[in-house]
Amino acid sequence: MQRSEERVGEAESADADGAAGDDAAAGWPRHWPLLLLGAAVVPGTVLYLGGQWMETPAMQAWRTVCLAVTVQALPFLLLGTALSGAINAFVPAAVFSRALPSRPVLAVPVAGVAGVVLPGCECASVPVANRLIGRGVTPAAAFAFLLSAPAINPVVLTATAVAFPGQPAMVAARLLASLGTALAMGWLWLWLGRAEWLRPVVRHSGHQTGGSRWQEFRTGFQHDFLHAGGFLVVGAMAAATFNVAVPRSVLDAFSGSPWLSVLFLAGLAIVLAVCSEADAFVAASLTGFSPVARLAFMVVGPMVDMKLIALQAGTFGRAFAVRFSAATVVVAVVFSALIGGALL
């Protein structure tokens, strides 16, 4: 009797070992039921907790700010990149060189004022300026246009008026501070600029003989819109995060000092790299800062940011990009403080 019970136990053990061996042979680990249970429970728990976290007041505020900035700025970004693509495809670069005076001192203000009526995003202004220099335009005038076109064109000024309703002084201050910075940098290059700092690389910009203008427009528009749209979304997310995550005490530490608030938002504009057609909406969302500080954000951003420094270094050389960007930041902050203090 005892032997038969031992035989039964051995048989059951052999069956269990055989089943485990069959599972291993089939590619299943020994504890596969626990793994399946974990695979079902863990993602569900993460989704549940994540859903609860997304419904917190802080995340609701984050979504609201991010969506508001994106939706408000998107039409102006679309219009600005469309106009920029049309100018790139249908307006020859020679038109700019013919319209400028031969004297560099006079060519600088003409090129700077041309930015008021010739829209273009900051990404497109770098190759256009390079093309102008290749056509014989004095670099000082090309750089004045490079800075003014993305900062004071009609699309940007209209977007600023929409972002700051009932505040025409903000639109005027942005126009004057940005134009003053562009002209000052053009004349500063005439005074202190050196040829060895500038190594322009001739690249294609505009219509090529034998090519389809509509194809060039479509390609340029698609590239500019997708490129700038990505920066817009990132900028909107950064602005929302800034509004929600940064403690009020930190904001008070900067916003309480006039100069610290201006310098802080100027540095923030360089890091965020928001497209000029959209930066007014980001600036309007920074309600904890003074109007002068928000003006500095809108003046510095279209002229100096991380992507522009990289574009300038790749086009004109690192020596130029470092010196020109640093000087532009200083001049833009000074003009923002002076004009903003007078008008705002």
Side-chain angles (χ1 to χ4, degrees), residues 316-331:
F316 301 113
R318 185 181 302 176
F320 166 83
V322 171
R323 292 175 173 85
F324 191 77
S325 298
T328 302
V329 171
V330 174
V331 174

Side-chain angles (χ1 to χ4, degrees), residues 32-331:
W32 63 269
L34 294 177
L35 294 176
L36 288 179
L37 181 63
V41 172
V42 172
T45 304
V46 172
L47 290 176
Y48 174 77
L49 295 177
Q52 294 294 319
W53 178 64
M54 290 294 292
E55 295 303 322
T56 60
M59 288 306 301
Q60 290 179 353
W62 186 90
R63 291 202 306 267
T64 300
V65 174
C66 182
L67 185 62
V69 172
T70 303
V71 171
Q72 281 185 306
L74 194 59
F76 297 97
L77 178 63
L78 181 66
L79 178 59
T81 50
L83 291 175
S84 176
I87 289 175
N88 181 67
F90 298 108
V91 180
V95 171
F96 299 103
S97 59
R98 293 170 185 168
L100 294 175
S102 57
R103 296 184 59 185
V105 176
L106 299 179
V108 168
V110 174
V113 173
V116 178
V117 295
L118 295 175
C121 70
E122 54 266 36
C123 299
S125 64
V126 175
V128 170
N130 182 43
R131 187 66 173 178
L132 291 176
I133 296 174
R135 292 291 182 89
V137 175
T138 177
F143 296 150
F145 179 80
L146 182 151
L147 296 178
S148 67
I152 61 174
N153 66 68
V155 177
V156 170
L157 296 180
T158 303
T160 305
V162 174
F164 293 90
Q167 302 182 48
M170 181 64 77
V171 181
R174 180 173 193 176
L175 171 62
L176 295 177
S178 299
L179 181 59
T181 302
L183 300 186
M185 286 303 302
W187 285 320
L188 189 63
W189 178 264
L190 282 178
W191 179 33
L192 299 176
R194 299 180 181 177
E196 57 266 25
W197 295 346
L198 183 62
R199 297 185 179 90
V201 179
V202 178
R203 296 180 179 177
H204 165 61
S205 175
H207 177 65
Q208 290 283 337
T209 304
S212 171
R213 296 182 183 271
W214 284 106
Q215 179 63 32
E216 292 177 359
F217 166 75
R218 186 164 54 250
T219 302
F221 167 74
Q222 180 179 357
H223 172 270
D224 290 345
F225 180 75
L226 293 178
H227 186 267
F231 284 107
L232 167 61
V233 174
V234 172
M237 295 173 63
T241 304
F242 181 83
N243 277 272
V244 174
V246 178
R248 187 68 192 179
S249 58
V250 176
L251 295 181
D252 292 339
F254 287 99
S255 60
S257 172
W259 278 106
L260 281 180
S261 62
V262 171
L263 296 177
F264 179 77
L265 286 194
L268 187 66
I270 297 173
V271 175
L272 292 186
V274 184
C275 184
S276 60
E277 283 88 358
D279 62 356
F281 299 97
V282 177
S285 69
L286 302 173
T287 54
F289 290 87
S290 66
V292 176
R294 287 186 280 176
L295 173 64
F297 179 89
M298 294 186 292
V299 174
V300 173
M303 298 183 178
V304 183
D305 60 35
M306 300 304 294
K307 67 178 185 296
L308 279 176
I309 294 174
L311 285 171
Q312 291 176 6
T315 304
F316 301 113
R318 185 181 302 176
F320 166 83
V322 171
R323 292 175 173 85
F324 191 77
S325 298
T328 302
V329 171
V330 174
V331 174

Side-chain angles (χ1 to χ4, degrees), residues 13-30 32:
S13 176
D15 291 341
D17 293 342
D22 292 340
D23 291 340
W28 291 91
R30 180 181 295 272
W32 63 269

